[in-house]
Amino acid sequence: MEFETWWLLGIPIFFGLGWIAARVDINQLVSESRSLPRGYFKGLNFLLNEQPDKAIDAFIEIVKLDPETIELHFALGNLFRRRGEMERAIRVHQNLLARPDLPLDYKLQSQYELGQDYLKAGLLDRAEETFNALVDTQYGAQARRALLEIYQREKEWLRAIDAARALQESGAGAKQKEIAQFYCELAQDELVHTHPDSALGMLEKALAADRSNVRAAILIGDVHLAKGDTEAALMAWRRVEQQSVPHVALVAQRLMDGYRNVGRPQEGLNLLKSYLAEAPSIDLLEVVFKAVLELDGVDAANHLVSDELRRTPTLLGLDKLLEARLMEAPPEVRPELSLVKNLVHGYTQKLARYQCSHCGFKARQFYWQCPGCSQWESYPPRRTEELNVMN
């Protein structure tokens, strides 16, 4: 291809255009930096020197002089909230709200951020008042979520139900699971205060909200038992199988005790064995093991745990097997076998935990609401080791 001489002329032209563009960008940057108030750099300097109080004062002065820096103020307040410096975060957002000339959008944003500050600081009354003022604004959905969290923290379950329904009606997604759990909380309170009929009414509402709510079925059985009707309690607890077979482990001891109280322990044991065959569970095995030991003897209990360990090999199952073997071991073997059992048992205590599927929080007991992240029904009814074996 023949070389075009006009390319030689084009090179310095392109270079010149690039130089001009760069000069324009530099000049614009210098111009913008000069237009920033001195307080901006002062505030940054205080932040770099870890003097946040002086930085706040500097940025407050900037906001008074230049409304365009309001976003910087929001960023600073959120920074303090994330760091847990709630007094400083509150001060930032209160100063914004105190401005009479603050545009409406910024005022609403300031109210919402202030409400978040109060919520994180545990000032629930102030947070509730702030979020209630935002319900009919563009921050309505966020405010309702925050109110729902507040009512749950305060255990104001009726108000939590209203808040959940309002949030659901606003198009924020289904809240039937949470509403059912709130009714269960109310029922449990009524049961504690020996008001079984009121508790039963609450549980009917819980099931109306969520037919698959296992907790409601369990509590209905507890209510019937409190009223002295063991047969009705057994019927209620047996319904758990229809809702969720793995959750049967949570009512296994109730079922066994109930059948024993009505004089039909073998029927109860046979029922629990059928559940164990369908859904292996360490907690269920524990109940069945004790019942077999009581009704059928050590040999039957030994065979039971041996079969279960072959089917689902876990340290928790091995612990039960060693317990059974220890009962029938010759005297000369017992010390060594007891030593092994104690060693295995020590490890099983670390594995015998329920784990939240949402945040991973582990607990010895089963929770309907996670103590770590406050999510409802986030705990599988199986121990962590069982879940690992299944996966």
Side-chain angles (χ1 to χ4, degrees):
M1 180 185 294
E2 188 176 343
F3 182 74
E4 298 287 348
T5 56
W6 65 270
W7 279 97
L8 293 174
L9 297 175
I11 290 173
I13 293 173
F14 289 131
F15 177 80
L17 290 173
W19 181 84
I20 292 170
R23 292 293 298 172
V24 169
D25 288 342
I26 292 171
N27 287 335
Q28 183 178 356
L29 181 61
V30 171
S31 174
E32 288 179 357
S33 66
R34 285 176 179 170
S35 67
L36 289 171
R38 288 184 57 194
Y40 175 80
F41 298 102
K42 237 171 115 183
L44 286 179
N45 189 50
F46 284 135
L47 280 178
L48 292 173
N49 290 320
E50 297 185 355
Q51 295 176 285
D53 287 327
K54 292 183 179 180
I56 287 176
D57 292 334
F59 287 128
I60 287 173
E61 289 302 317
I62 298 173
V63 172
K64 288 179 181 177
L65 296 172
D66 185 1
E68 296 300 321
T69 58
I70 292 176
E71 292 294 346
L72 176 63
H73 218 65
F74 282 126
L76 185 64
N78 291 338
L79 171 64
F80 286 142
R81 187 168 68 235
R82 285 197 300 272
R83 290 174 59 184
E85 301 178 52
M86 304 315 304
E87 289 185 10
R88 290 169 178 164
I90 289 170
R91 182 180 170 191
V92 167
H93 296 125
Q94 282 179 335
N95 274 284
L96 275 173
L97 274 174
R99 285 194 52 183
D101 60 335
L102 193 68
L104 178 60
D105 286 348
Y106 284 131
K107 182 177 181 180
L108 293 175
Q109 185 179 351
S110 301
Q111 281 183 289
Y112 176 71
E113 297 296 345
L114 184 59
Q116 290 292 334
D117 296 338
Y118 288 145
L119 185 57
K120 188 168 183 181
L123 304 172
L124 301 185
D125 289 343
R126 294 186 185 181
E128 181 182 350
E129 182 181 354
T130 304
F131 288 124
N132 269 323
L134 292 169
V135 164
D136 295 322
T137 70
Q138 65 203 55
Y139 289 91
Q142 297 98 311
R144 288 188 179 93
R145 286 192 189 93
L147 287 169
L148 181 57
E149 181 181 344
I150 291 168
Y151 297 144
Q152 289 181 77
R153 283 201 205 177
E154 294 178 329
K155 300 189 183 303
E156 294 280 351
W157 303 117
L158 285 174
R159 300 180 76 182
I161 290 168
D162 291 338
R165 283 178 174 156
L167 193 57
Q168 186 172 262
E169 289 167 4
S170 71
K175 296 293 175 186
Q176 295 302 108
K177 179 177 71 176
E178 289 82 359
I179 291 170
Q181 288 293 342
F182 300 155
Y183 276 120
C184 286
E185 290 288 339
L186 288 167
Q188 199 153 312
D189 289 343
E190 293 294 334
L191 195 55
V192 167
H193 292 94
T194 61
H195 300 145
D197 292 329
S198 298
L200 205 55
M202 293 297 177
L203 293 170
E204 288 171 358
K205 291 180 180 179
L207 289 174
D210 180 11
R211 298 301 303 176
S212 64
N213 188 281
V214 173
R215 186 185 182 188
I218 296 173
L219 286 173
I220 286 173
D222 293 348
V223 170
H224 286 306
L225 187 66
K227 295 173 73 173
D229 192 345
T230 306
E231 292 289 354
L234 290 171
M235 286 181 62
W237 293 327
R238 289 188 64 167
R239 289 195 196 102
V240 172
E241 181 197 10
Q242 300 168 12
Q243 295 172 307
S244 170
V245 174
H247 281 86
V248 167
L250 301 178
V251 293
Q253 191 61 60
R254 287 175 171 90
L255 282 165
M256 196 61 230
D257 291 342
Y259 277 104
R260 190 181 289 111
N261 290 340
V262 296
R264 304 198 305 274
Q266 194 63 51
E267 183 182 339
L269 177 56
N270 292 338
L271 176 67
L272 294 183
K273 281 183 176 179
S274 69
Y275 291 156
L276 187 62
E278 187 175 354
S281 162
I282 292 297
D283 291 326
L284 184 53
L285 176 61
E286 174 80 20
V287 178
V288 174
F289 172 75
K290 289 179 180 177
V292 169
L293 198 61
E294 174 193 343
L295 298 173
D296 301 333
V298 176
D299 287 340
N302 203 335
H303 286 301
L304 171 75
V305 291
S306 296
D307 292 342
E308 284 302 311
L309 189 60
R310 291 189 191 95
R311 189 162 64 127
T312 311
T314 64
L315 277 178
L316 293 165
L318 177 61
D319 185 38
K320 300 312 300 177
L321 178 62
L322 290 171
E323 183 179 341
R325 292 290 168 85
L326 194 59
M327 291 178 185
E328 60 178 7
E332 63 272 14
V333 179
R334 285 181 185 174
E336 291 183 0
L337 193 58
S338 180
L339 181 64
V340 174
K341 190 209 177 294
N342 290 337
L343 182 63
V344 172
H345 186 73
Y347 280 105
T348 60
Q349 293 306 297
K350 299 177 183 178
L351 298 171
R353 298 284 193 278
Y354 296 103
Q355 184 172 4
C356 174
S357 59
H358 185 261
C359 72
F361 189 90
K362 293 182 180 180
R364 284 185 178 275
Q365 69 182 76
F366 181 87
Y367 287 101
W368 294 105
Q369 184 184 30
C370 175
C373 64
S374 299
Q375 289 289 313
W376 290 97
E377 300 181 29
S378 59
Y379 275 90
R382 288 192 172 96
R383 306 285 179 170
T384 52
E385 190 191 10
E386 295 177 84
L387 293 173
N388 291 335
V389 169
M390 291 171 65
N391 292 334

